[in-house]
Amino acid sequence: MSNRLPRDLWTEILVSLPVKSLLRFQCVCKSWKSLIYTSTFISMHTQHSESADNYTHLLHCSSYSKKPYQLLQTDGSFNEFQELEYPCQMRGGDHRFVHDCKGLILFTTVIQDGLDGNRFERLTLWNPAIRMSMTLPRPRIDVPVPKYCIHGFGFDQTSNDYKVLRMVCDMYTSFPPQVELYRLRTGAWETITGVDDCFQYYLSAKTQAFVNGASHWVNVVWPMASCSPKRAVLLFDMCDEKLRVMKLPDHLSLGLGKTLDLGVSGGLLSLMENTKPHDVYLSCNIWLMKEYGVVESWTKQFTIDLEGWSCGWIFSFRNNEKILAWNRKNEKESVLYDPKTHRLIKVGGIKGKGYLFGKNTFVESLVLLDKEHTRCDSKKGKKRRERHACA
């Protein structure tokens, strides 16, 4: 085929194929393998998957299951599409899911370093689609008690590079935190300076919403002259590598008895405002920032009546822009909210207690295929370092 068709044409054909097929086709001939392993082809394939809206699966973790990680179908059934293998580096450790972006998942494992109370993190990037992962170099900044760490993970379109942000914060003092950044292209950590030391924020949400090239978190603001907290959005731009504050309207930033959770819906920054008196969620307001960065553009889309449910985190995803939640009292029970009919519908497929990862559904990619990585051989229970492999 490669001898009969122009290179551009069979490149275009290969780019449109799913990951599973490409992993097989890399063994067809050396020219195909060389092409599939190039960073240019990997980038083209990821962009095609996103533009074609190939977000067909939702990543799920069940803490009490023999199959801890699954891809679920988002056709309304939420049946299992694929069981995922743990990365070898994660087995036997106290690992935590952090974020996902363009087919890569970031995990962190907290490790006690001796008897002095210091802790450091082992960070792992995992691509479930190709069953490959890599461990990042040890960060420069450790996390002694009572400090804690906030992570950001995203993609810089200008440099075509993935980046990992670490903010080591003190639980009992205000900003500035110690900040460092890892770039996948250089493979090294670098300290970020110039963090404004007049901030007085506490990060109330450790999960990010990645949109417009930036990671976003909800923060609680403690003004100098007042004991009344306000909320704002802290963001880190992956392009210019700067931390900024984005204000919220007063009706969202003020008030107790509610929780705020950021997400992404239809490519826009979204916000879920839950009223929570007496630890029972009564309703959830869904807001969209119609014009990025413009505070006045926050617009309420609809209100979900939770009908007495004590719901856990609520996630939006691309399939029909429905909202998914599960019952905190019975975590085997999940519901789907349809904005068009304003109804809560019980759904199956999601079995066992656990977490739903990703405020957007999961997209497969070839990222890490061109890097030195660890591939796990589940049958032999071993791991091996390799650069090229046929899966």
Side-chain angles (χ1 to χ4, degrees):
M1 176 180 173
S2 60
N3 294 328
R4 298 177 183 177
L5 296 177
R7 180 181 176 88
D8 292 345
L9 183 55
W10 57 263
T11 298
E12 184 177 341
I13 294 172
L14 291 176
V15 161
S16 64
L17 295 178
V19 168
K20 187 175 182 179
S21 298
L22 291 172
L23 293 178
R24 293 200 306 265
F25 291 167
Q26 66 175 306
C27 300
V28 171
C29 61
K30 291 183 178 180
S31 59
W32 282 20
K33 184 175 182 177
S34 298
L35 172 67
I36 293 171
Y37 273 76
T38 62
S39 58
T40 301
F41 182 88
I42 292 172
S43 178
M44 289 172 59
H45 181 267
T46 304
Q47 291 175 15
H48 180 273
S49 297
E50 291 184 307
S51 63
D53 247 0
N54 290 338
Y55 291 81
T56 56
H57 309 123
L58 190 70
L59 184 64
H60 175 244
C61 171
S62 179
S63 304
Y64 300 90
S65 173
K66 294 181 180 179
K67 300 184 293 185
Y69 293 99
Q70 304 163 283
L71 288 179
L72 305 177
Q73 295 176 337
T74 56
D75 57 2
S77 68
F78 296 99
N79 292 322
E80 181 179 284
F81 172 77
Q82 181 184 351
E83 177 189 350
L84 303 176
E85 294 284 347
Y86 266 124
C88 292
Q89 302 97 311
M90 309 307 299
R91 293 180 179 174
D94 180 20
H95 60 273
R96 302 172 186 174
F97 171 92
V98 183
H99 303 299
D100 67 292
C101 179
K102 291 180 179 287
L104 279 188
I105 301 171
L106 174 67
F107 283 94
T108 177
T109 305
V110 179
I111 299 173
Q112 194 75 22
D113 190 11
L115 301 176
D116 55 3
N118 282 339
R119 297 169 296 164
F120 71 92
E121 292 181 310
R122 183 173 65 225
L123 294 164
T124 303
L125 290 176
W126 178 36
N127 185 336
I130 59 176
R131 294 183 297 154
M132 293 174 182
S133 58
M134 64 178 293
T135 301
L136 306 190
R138 177 169 172 169
R140 297 180 176 184
I141 306 170
D142 290 340
V143 192
V145 178
K147 292 190 176 184
Y148 64 98
C149 193
I150 302 294
H151 300 86
F153 179 47
F155 184 76
D156 178 3
Q157 297 278 5
T158 59
S159 62
N160 195 34
D161 195 15
Y162 289 82
K163 297 179 180 179
V164 178
L165 178 77
R166 291 181 78 244
M167 294 184 288
V168 180
C169 311
D170 195 308
M171 192 171 294
Y172 302 111
T173 61
S174 59
F175 269 21
Q178 295 174 282
V179 182
E180 59 183 340
L181 186 71
Y182 174 86
R183 302 177 185 87
L184 186 59
R185 176 168 292 183
T186 62
W189 291 97
E190 181 178 326
T191 302
I192 298 296
T193 59
V195 179
D196 193 345
D197 60 3
C198 69
F199 286 7
Q200 292 202 5
Y201 293 90
Y202 171 75
L203 294 173
S204 60
K206 296 185 179 181
T207 57
Q208 71 168 21
F210 187 75
V211 64
N212 205 52
S215 298
H216 301 75
W217 304 267
V218 175
N219 303 292
V220 177
V221 187
W222 297 91
M224 291 290 293
S226 173
C227 294
S228 300
K230 295 178 64 177
R231 295 174 179 86
V233 175
L234 179 70
L235 67 92
F236 179 80
D237 192 308
M238 292 291 172
C239 179
D240 65 17
E241 301 178 354
K242 299 292 184 182
L243 278 166
R244 296 186 178 88
V245 175
M246 181 188 292
K247 292 183 178 180
L248 288 170
D250 286 343
H251 57 81
L252 289 175
S253 66
L254 299 172
L256 302 175
K258 64 181 179 182
T259 61
L260 301 181
D261 186 26
L262 291 174
V264 182
S265 180
L268 300 176
L269 188 64
S270 66
L271 187 146
M272 285 147 272
E273 176 192 19
N274 295 279
T275 58
K276 188 186 176 184
H278 309 297
D279 202 35
V280 176
Y281 291 90
L282 298 179
S283 64
C284 176
N285 297 321
I286 307 296
W287 299 78
L288 286 183
M289 183 177 245
K290 293 297 185 68
E291 187 176 349
Y292 183 78
V294 178
V295 178
E296 295 76 18
S297 69
W298 281 107
T299 305
K300 185 190 291 188
Q301 296 300 105
F302 47 83
T303 298
I304 303 175
D305 184 357
L306 296 177
E307 301 176 0
W309 279 60
S310 179
C311 287
W313 293 279
I314 296 179
F315 292 83
S316 61
F317 56 94
R318 297 178 71 111
N319 185 34
N320 298 323
E321 298 302 332
K322 291 185 176 67
I323 309 296
L324 183 67
W326 71 86
N327 194 341
R328 291 169 65 94
K329 296 179 180 178
N330 180 8
E331 291 178 318
K332 292 184 179 180
E333 207 170 48
S334 301
V335 288
L336 190 68
Y337 177 79
D338 190 339
K340 295 180 180 179
T341 62
H342 303 287
R343 294 180 57 196
L344 286 171
I345 306 167
K346 292 183 181 181
V347 296
I350 304 176
K351 305 297 184 182
K353 296 181 180 181
Y355 302 96
L356 292 171
F357 289 149
K359 293 183 173 63
N360 285 307
T361 42
F362 184 77
V363 59
E364 292 187 336
S365 76
L366 293 165
V367 180
L368 294 188
L369 198 63
D370 60 333
K371 302 289 182 181
E372 185 179 274
H373 48 253
T374 299
R375 181 179 176 191
C376 188
D377 188 338
S378 58
K379 293 182 179 179
K380 296 182 179 179
K382 298 179 180 179
K383 62 181 180 179
R384 61 179 183 269
R385 302 292 295 182
E386 58 182 29
R387 182 173 177 83
H388 301 285
C390 292

